[in-house]
Amino acid sequence: EPEVTQTPSHQVTQMGQEVILRCVPISNHLYFYWYRQILGQKVEFLVSFYNNEISEKSEIFDDQFSVERPDGSNFTLKIRSTKLEDSAMYFCASSDSVRIYGYTFGSGTRLTVV
Amino acid sequence: SQQGEEDPQALSIQEGENATMNCSYKTSINNLQWYRQNSGRGLVHLILIRSNEREKHSGRLRVTLDTSKKSSSLLITASRAADTASYFCATDKGASGSRLTFGEGTQLTVNP
């Protein structure tokens, strides 16, 4: 069964450092997403991406965040200058155009900012 | 106000019993989905129900949707210890690529 792959599974970074979280969505999917889940809280939408541009973003997705699809397979989330409150599990997801089968989520990257 | 609120927040049952989790939402939706998350792991899609559907089954899972009450329920029959996980409902407004809005989740513990 196709899956969404995220790397790394866990990243520890110092406050103020830049991090890039990587994702390989399912190859024939057209829509890509990033979500995050702070420990013990619910999953929150960050951004959706379609046709090489952001289609929707939440209020969490401020100027510190950016997304990119640098080639035909990878989808990245960059946090320019990490803060302690950015510590969370970050999930990448992808979906097809009709979403019959729901969204497929990756297993997540646990980001710890120290 | 919160979109997608589950109750109960936590549910503990014995193996073999049925588990029912509920979800309420506030705005109109196109689809409602249920996801499962094992502790510290990723989200696994369980089932999707469209706004024009009232009930859907998948194996031991049964989902109902009542759009007049803006609520859904997930029933897991004949539960197993391996069903222990957090269960989330998530709604979308239907446009391709639209965001999912997740609820707070129900932590289900199935005791052997």
Side-chain angles (χ1 to χ4, degrees):
Chain A
E1 189 169 327
E3 52 182 38
V4 174
T5 305
Q6 288 187 245
T7 55
S9 57
H10 192 185
Q11 177 144 7
V12 181
T13 188
Q14 293 219 322
M15 194 168 55
Q17 295 294 306
E18 174 184 286
V19 294
I20 296 176
L21 310 182
R22 301 179 194 279
C23 169
V24 179
I26 292 175
S27 60
N28 62 347
H29 282 184
L30 301 176
Y31 300 89
F32 314 114
Y33 314 84
W34 285 99
Y35 289 79
R36 80 171 186 192
Q37 184 181 34
I38 295 170
L39 186 64
Q41 297 186 23
K42 63 181 180 179
V43 178
E44 301 173 292
F45 169 79
L46 292 177
V47 67
S48 58
F49 192 85
Y50 169 72
N51 202 26
N52 285 321
E53 60 182 27
I54 291 173
S55 49
E56 188 180 1
K57 60 183 181 180
S58 72
E59 46 287 346
I60 302 169
F61 194 89
D62 61 22
D63 292 344
Q64 293 297 315
F65 292 88
S66 62
V67 289
E68 196 177 37
R69 190 158 161 81
D71 52 43
S73 60
N74 290 287
F75 180 49
T76 62
L77 174 69
K78 182 193 293 186
I79 309 175
R80 268 182 258 288
S81 177
T82 50
K83 309 182 190 81
L84 294 176
E85 54 265 37
D86 293 327
S87 294
M89 184 77 99
Y90 287 81
F91 293 106
C92 174
S94 67
S95 67
D96 60 18
S97 60
V98 293
R99 290 180 284 109
I100 294 172
Y101 303 108
Y103 298 65
T104 303
F105 281 81
S107 54
T109 293
R110 181 169 296 287
L111 176 66
T112 304
V113 182
V114 297
Chain B
S1 59
Q2 299 249 358
Q3 181 84 339
E5 299 177 1
E6 285 95 332
D7 75 87
Q9 288 187 326
L11 179 62
S12 182
I13 60 174
Q14 294 300 121
E15 219 168 17
E17 293 180 340
N18 295 340
T20 299
M21 290 160 272
N22 302 297
C23 166
S24 61
Y25 56 92
K26 302 215 183 285
T27 62
S28 63
I29 63 166
N30 198 60
N31 303 296
L32 186 143
Q33 306 178 44
W34 284 90
Y35 287 84
R36 165 196 166 124
Q37 184 182 36
N38 285 65
S39 180
R41 307 294 297 275
L43 295 156
V44 176
H45 177 256
L46 295 176
I47 198 163
L48 179 152
I49 187 165
R50 301 189 186 283
S51 59
N52 60 356
E53 297 176 310
R54 292 295 165 258
E55 189 170 308
K56 207 157 182 182
H57 296 255
S58 176
R60 292 185 297 114
L61 305 180
R62 173 180 167 246
V63 168
T64 61
L65 179 64
D66 187 335
T67 52
S68 67
K69 295 181 180 175
K70 292 188 168 60
S71 67
S72 172
S73 68
L74 171 68
L75 168 68
I76 304 174
T77 59
S79 63
R80 305 166 184 165
D83 294 329
T84 295
S86 291
Y87 292 82
F88 297 89
C89 69
T91 58
D92 71 65
K93 292 186 183 286
S96 289
S98 65
R99 67 169 75 183
L100 288 178
T101 301
F102 283 83
E104 306 282 346
T106 293
Q107 172 60 50
L108 173 67
T109 302
V110 182
N111 301 299

